[in-house]
Amino acid sequence: MRYCSLGSGSRGNATVVQQGRMSLLVDCGFSRKNLVARLEQAQVDIQGLQGVLVTHEHGDHAKGVLTVCESFDVPFYTSFGTARKMGWLSHPLWHCIRGDEPLRIAGWDVMPVVVPHDAQEPLQFVIRNERGLVLGLLSDLGSLTAHLLHHYRACHGLQVEANHDVPLLRAGPYPPSLQARVAGQFGHLSNEQCADFLLRVRWSGLQHVSAGHISEKNNDRHLVRSCLAPVLDCRPDDVNLLEQDTVSDWYCLA
Ligand SMILES: [Zn+2]
Ligand SMILES: [Zn+2]
């Protein structure tokens, strides 16, 4: 199993997970044209796309879902709350999923995990292949809960949010109400919260960690690196950071 980020940040998110010729998309916050270009860059054949998992209704995760799924006749999976908010409840390609109720798509076992975020019924995903290799994708959450820490233990690959640096957010351009939302229990993870998450879930089987959804206004990539390096026991330059406009490397789990 391998995975790569097609882009990560407040202007659009999508991650592709691949096993053989089959692939799964998590979120589609890009237009159809933009997504297709990014899939081509990553050399993913869209004909192998088995489904799109959608974390929540915010535009940076959901805005391209319908056009992409309708164009390529691909099913999409969201919570009831996300579908209701998006007006998808009667769409023929929609499948309803719930937190803590595992589902199977192609060869993958997917566990939807409820997270605290200011959306209708947001979910994040832990994806296991038939050989027991586990990828945890986690973004758009304001705080860590015992429930989610339980689900993200023992992942072989992790892609996690490091959204903001608290002092930069405080000094940044956002109005106080938006600052409070981002930093709140239902907002986004700070660099420190990301480090705390990794400290709690890291284990000897962890092969790859990448940090994403990095704010362009309220964070600094050097700060992310220096915050995460001690927890990952690596040099700051070796911390993998995802980018908004660039397709990442492939990370292979073996
Ligand atoms: Zn987001
Ligand atoms: Zn969001």
Side-chain angles (χ1 to χ4, degrees):
M1 174 162 64
R2 62 179 195 159
Y3 62 100
C4 88
S5 164
L6 300 177
S8 176
S10 60
R11 289 186 284 111
N13 295 275
T15 300
V16 59
V17 183
Q18 200 172 45
Q19 178 90 53
R21 283 195 65 254
M22 289 190 300
S23 57
L24 195 59
L25 198 61
V26 179
D27 284 335
C28 185
F30 299 107
S31 69
R32 190 182 85 109
K33 190 176 162 207
N34 193 342
L35 183 89
V36 168
R38 287 169 191 256
L39 284 171
E40 273 172 13
Q41 263 185 53
Q43 298 187 309
V44 175
D45 178 4
I46 203 155
Q47 301 307 324
L49 189 58
Q50 304 295 305
V52 179
L53 292 161
V54 185
T55 57
H56 64 299
E57 70 272 19
H58 291 161
D60 58 322
H61 300 265
K63 70 174 170 242
V65 171
L66 213 54
T67 49
V68 166
C69 290
E70 287 176 346
S71 298
F72 302 104
D73 196 28
V74 171
F76 59 97
Y77 302 78
T78 82
S79 69
F80 181 85
T82 300
R84 187 173 57 182
K85 187 78 180 171
M86 295 300 287
W88 292 342
L89 289 177
S90 57
H91 198 285
L93 292 172
W94 174 61
H95 293 256
C96 189
I97 57 175
R98 289 168 214 272
D100 274 8
E101 287 188 10
L103 65 145
R104 199 166 169 85
I105 306 176
W108 290 285
D109 288 313
V110 178
M111 176 61 82
V113 182
V114 173
V115 293
H117 188 53
D118 52 3
Q120 290 300 307
E121 195 185 344
L123 299 169
Q124 292 290 323
F125 299 107
V126 175
I127 300 169
R128 178 188 301 266
N129 77 356
E130 281 166 340
R131 292 179 50 212
L133 293 163
V134 184
L135 166 63
L137 302 173
L138 184 66
S139 79
D140 293 69
L141 70 164
S143 42
L144 301 174
T145 62
H147 174 257
L148 80 86
L149 290 168
H150 166 77
H151 279 297
Y152 284 83
R153 282 185 320 204
C155 289
H156 300 90
L158 282 169
Q159 180 179 298
V160 59
E161 168 174 68
N163 177 257
H164 59 277
D165 169 71
V166 174
L168 282 183
L169 176 68
R170 295 279 173 241
Y174 283 9
S177 60
L178 187 52
Q179 286 186 21
R181 208 189 112 203
V182 170
Q185 297 280 301
F186 296 89
H188 289 273
L189 288 189
S190 68
N191 297 341
E192 308 254 302
Q193 286 173 303
C194 179
D196 184 33
F197 168 75
L198 292 171
L199 188 65
R200 290 162 183 248
V201 300
R202 67 181 181 181
W203 66 301
S204 58
L206 186 55
Q207 298 173 23
H208 301 289
V209 174
S210 45
H213 218 304
I214 299 168
S215 171
E216 291 167 337
K217 295 193 172 84
N218 305 308
N219 212 344
D220 177 306
R221 299 171 79 83
H222 296 292
L223 292 176
V224 183
R225 290 181 185 285
S226 55
C227 190
L228 301 189
V231 185
L232 297 174
D233 200 18
C234 68
R235 295 180 311 155
D237 284 349
D238 294 332
V239 176
N240 296 312
L241 301 186
L242 305 180
E243 297 190 41
Q244 180 71 81
D245 295 318
T246 311
V247 170
S248 77
D249 292 337
W250 283 102
Y251 299 104
C252 297
L253 302 180

